Amino acid sequence: MTDHPHAGDGHNSGSCLICSSTDRAGLVQRLAEELWESLQDDTQRARSWANAGELWNIRFRELA
């Protein structure tokens, strides 16, 4: 993702991923993956994002 060179008022040096992203699809993908990973707390049943399957990938991108 490419960061926007100037952050708006109230942001700390452009570090806001949502506001500074110029790649919407990349942002959605990253947020979906991070959300999925945050819910994988049972290590015996946990699946990585890559192994979650297309249906879960689609649903989590929609959620993001």
Side-chain angles (χ1 to χ4, degrees):
M1 271 180 255
T2 304
D3 288 338
H4 193 280
H6 304 289
D9 291 339
H11 290 80
N12 50 2
S13 302
S15 63
C16 176
L17 178 65
I18 294 171
C19 295
S20 62
S21 176
T22 59
D23 176 11
R24 185 181 189 281
L27 174 64
V28 168
Q29 179 68 20
R30 182 171 174 181
L31 292 175
E33 183 175 349
E34 288 182 13
L35 179 58
W36 174 263
E37 297 295 341
S38 75
L39 297 174
Q40 302 303 306
D41 55 358
D42 182 351
T43 56
Q44 291 183 339
R45 293 185 175 180
R47 286 189 279 176
S48 69
W49 176 252
N51 295 324
E54 187 61 24
L55 176 63
W56 285 114
N57 289 176
I58 291 168
R59 295 296 182 241
F60 272 70
R61 283 193 298 268
E62 288 172 350
L63 182 60

